[in-house]
Amino acid sequence: MSDDLFAVGRGEDDARPSDEVHPPLAVRMRPRTLDEVRGQRDVLRPGSPLRRLVEGGHGTGQVGPMSAILWGPPGTGKTTLAHLVAQAEGRTFVELSAVTAGVKDVRTVMEKAARDRDLYGRSTVLFLDEIHRFSKAQQDALLPGVENRQVILVAATTENPTFSIIAPLLSRSVLVALTSLTDAEIGEVVDAALADERGLAGAFTLAPDARDHLVRLAGGDARRSLTELEAAAGVALDDLPGGRGYPDASNPAPITLAHVEQALAHAAVRYDRAGDEHYDVASAFIKSMRGSDVDAALHYLARMLEAGEDPRFIARRIVISASEEIAMADPTALQTAVAAMHAVAQIGMPEARLILAQAVVHNCLAPKSNATYTAINAAIADVRAGKAGPVPVHLRGSGHARAARAAGQAHGGYVYAHDEPDSVATQQYLPDALIGADYYHPKPRGFEARMVDRWAWLRSRLRG
């Protein structure tokens, strides 16, 4: 809609919204002070480098404001914090995007910043969005200005700076890791937008189930939550009966779950991350991988992702499944799962869905074996039952061996395995109380099928 849906909430016109174009809700609701910032409590604690930078504190002596690299997922406040840094007295704000800017643009900013500092005593805050898209040569162009403090660089990136930003620039900046907002914090953002004069000014109410769905789909992204809310308000406005008039604080329009679903084209997924449904879906997900049903496992994966589940939680479940359900039947499943877990942490959504899906398919199609799972559980059960006893004398550490020899005691004659044929030494390894213990039973499936005969042969050689 080209109309301004929220003009009435500001009291501009009682008949129709004006055709004036206004900034998106996410822009209008951008925090103006640190008190309005949601989340990031750790990096904004009193005395922290980022808070001092925002507040303009230079400390004493020759200590000046540091440049900062803000690393975090989308919607965590990187741009907002850069604007707040620029608000300190005597600062000029310049914004560049690494997508469109080049070395020439950077040098132009540096030259003007140097003039402003020397002639007017003003500092320049250069906000460089998506700095990871800058090449090494482009990042090199930033170094003189940062080192000489011609500019206060505030750079934003969604990628790990260790891999995407040159070391000299990292060493001259404070690295600030931002985290996704919690559901409670996203809820605060939404509630503030509904009531604030800069936002919807009380012209809409949000049903509890619609609020929960909107918060869940935001996935910790404050900007996304406001974009979704604005879209849902537009659908609710279109759904008003004829002749009702445009909503305002005294006669607000309701935003229902159906409005949110229609605006976002996402059906509400029955899934409570803090309740039983969370565990039910996660359990079905794991059991589907165990049962080798690729379609079912992908369904539950999609269900969790669409409900806003943390992809890192899902990745950890896949790693556990690879070891518990597959193990030596296909040792590469654990390698895939661990690689997926690390990749998900670095990349985030929405691309992480592809990585998770690949690992899920690998787990489903791999041959299954719980032999190592049952083996370690049986060993732990014996230990808890008190079946342990002293370590055989010949297996004890060298310090014990020297003490035994000094006391004239025999050390038991440890046999070095590499001196024996096939590097297998026939000798006692288990404590006396556990001689004959039999924990590991390899399954005749996949790679582990090779272990069946090998373990039988090894047992016969080891134990004579």
Side-chain angles (χ1 to χ4, degrees):
M1 297 177 62
S2 61
D3 293 336
D4 175 10
L5 304 178
F6 316 112
V8 175
R10 295 188 296 272
E12 295 174 2
D13 191 340
D14 291 333
R16 273 188 75 83
S18 71
D19 290 332
E20 181 183 355
V21 176
H22 288 268
L25 180 61
V27 174
R28 303 201 305 272
M29 288 302 300
R30 177 165 287 151
R32 298 164 295 187
T33 65
L34 281 175
D35 292 337
E36 294 182 359
V37 174
R38 310 291 177 180
Q40 317 310 334
R41 294 178 182 176
D42 289 340
V43 299
L44 288 175
R45 66 187 183 281
S48 66
L50 181 58
R51 191 178 190 96
R52 286 170 51 80
L53 181 59
V54 170
E55 293 175 342
H58 292 191
T60 59
Q62 301 301 313
V63 178
M66 295 285 291
S67 292
I69 295 173
L70 308 180
W71 170 35
T76 52
K78 297 185 290 295
T79 304
T80 292
L81 291 170
H83 279 274
L84 292 177
V85 169
Q87 287 181 8
E89 186 178 354
R91 290 180 180 174
T92 301
F93 183 74
V94 178
E95 182 173 358
L96 294 177
S97 172
V99 177
T100 56
V103 173
K104 181 179 178 181
D105 301 296
V106 170
R107 288 176 178 162
T108 300
V109 172
M110 296 294 181
E111 292 169 1
K112 186 177 186 304
R115 289 196 303 270
D116 288 349
R117 181 193 61 184
D118 296 340
L119 296 177
Y120 310 110
R122 293 188 63 84
S123 300
T124 297
V125 176
L126 171 58
F127 176 56
L128 183 58
D129 199 13
E130 299 192 80
I131 189 175
H132 56 271
R133 293 179 179 268
F134 258 13
S135 66
K136 181 180 182 299
Q138 290 171 313
Q139 292 184 36
D140 282 337
L142 296 166
L143 287 176
V146 172
E147 186 167 20
N148 299 324
R149 287 186 176 152
Q150 290 177 334
V151 297
I152 302 170
L153 174 67
V154 181
T157 179
T158 56
E159 296 190 4
N160 191 331
T162 304
F163 304 112
S164 59
I165 298 177
I166 59 175
L169 193 55
L170 278 176
S171 68
R172 290 165 172 80
S173 308
V174 175
L175 178 59
V176 180
L178 306 180
T179 57
S180 297
L181 276 65
T182 65
D183 283 357
E185 291 163 346
I186 291 293
E188 292 174 3
V189 170
V190 171
D191 294 341
L194 284 167
D196 197 290
E197 289 296 322
R198 294 177 296 154
L200 305 188
F204 295 85
T205 59
L206 186 62
D209 56 350
R211 181 183 184 275
D212 292 343
H213 187 50
L214 192 150
V215 168
R216 186 167 59 241
L217 290 180
D221 184 330
R223 182 171 54 244
R224 182 178 178 184
S225 71
L226 294 176
T227 301
E228 293 171 347
L229 175 61
E230 187 171 28
V235 174
L237 189 61
D238 287 341
D239 205 29
L240 291 176
R244 180 192 186 279
Y246 281 80
D248 57 26
S250 62
N251 187 26
I255 301 175
T256 66
L257 176 60
H259 294 143
V260 175
E261 290 177 350
Q262 184 178 345
L264 307 180
H266 280 279
V269 180
R270 185 171 175 264
Y271 184 90
D272 178 6
R273 283 195 284 174
D276 291 341
E277 190 72 13
H278 164 85
Y279 298 104
D280 289 346
V281 174
S283 175
F285 174 61
I286 292 167
K287 290 172 181 174
S288 296
M289 287 191 290
R290 178 186 300 155
S292 301
D293 191 326
V294 178
D295 294 332
L298 289 175
H299 164 76
Y300 292 117
L301 171 63
R303 195 157 155 179
M304 287 188 287
L305 291 175
E306 286 297 291
E309 182 60 82
D310 186 343
R312 294 170 297 182
F313 166 84
I314 301 172
R316 291 193 293 269
R317 304 282 77 73
I318 296 172
V319 171
I320 294 168
S321 173
S323 192
E324 179 179 344
E325 316 294 353
I326 301 167
M328 291 304 295
D330 180 1
T332 65
L334 182 58
Q335 296 172 8
T336 299
V338 171
M341 181 173 64
H342 289 299
V344 164
Q346 297 296 330
I347 292 174
M349 291 293 289
E351 290 82 0
R353 74 192 191 284
L354 306 175
I355 300 164
L356 292 170
Q358 180 178 345
V360 166
V361 170
H362 190 151
N363 274 14
C364 288
L365 298 182
K368 304 298 188 293
S369 171
N370 67 344
T372 57
Y373 172 80
T374 56
I376 187 58
N377 285 348
I380 289 173
D382 276 352
V383 171
R384 290 176 176 173
K387 298 179 181 179
V391 173
V393 174
H394 58 282
L395 297 185
R396 297 179 189 178
S398 55
H400 182 90
R402 287 193 296 270
R405 285 195 297 269
Q409 299 173 354
H411 185 47
Y414 170 66
V415 181
Y416 187 54
H418 292 291
D419 290 339
E420 298 298 300
D422 299 315
S423 296
V424 179
T426 301
Q427 60 187 336
Q428 180 181 338
Y429 289 94
L430 283 165
D432 291 343
L434 287 170
I435 290 177
D438 187 10
Y439 299 133
Y440 180 51
H441 299 276
K443 300 292 180 68
R445 291 189 288 276
F447 178 86
E448 197 170 34
R450 309 180 193 180
M451 302 295 105
V452 175
D453 291 339
R454 171 141 181 95
W455 179 225
W457 175 78
L458 282 169
R459 280 174 58 89
S460 65
R461 286 288 302 273
L462 292 169
R463 304 179 185 184

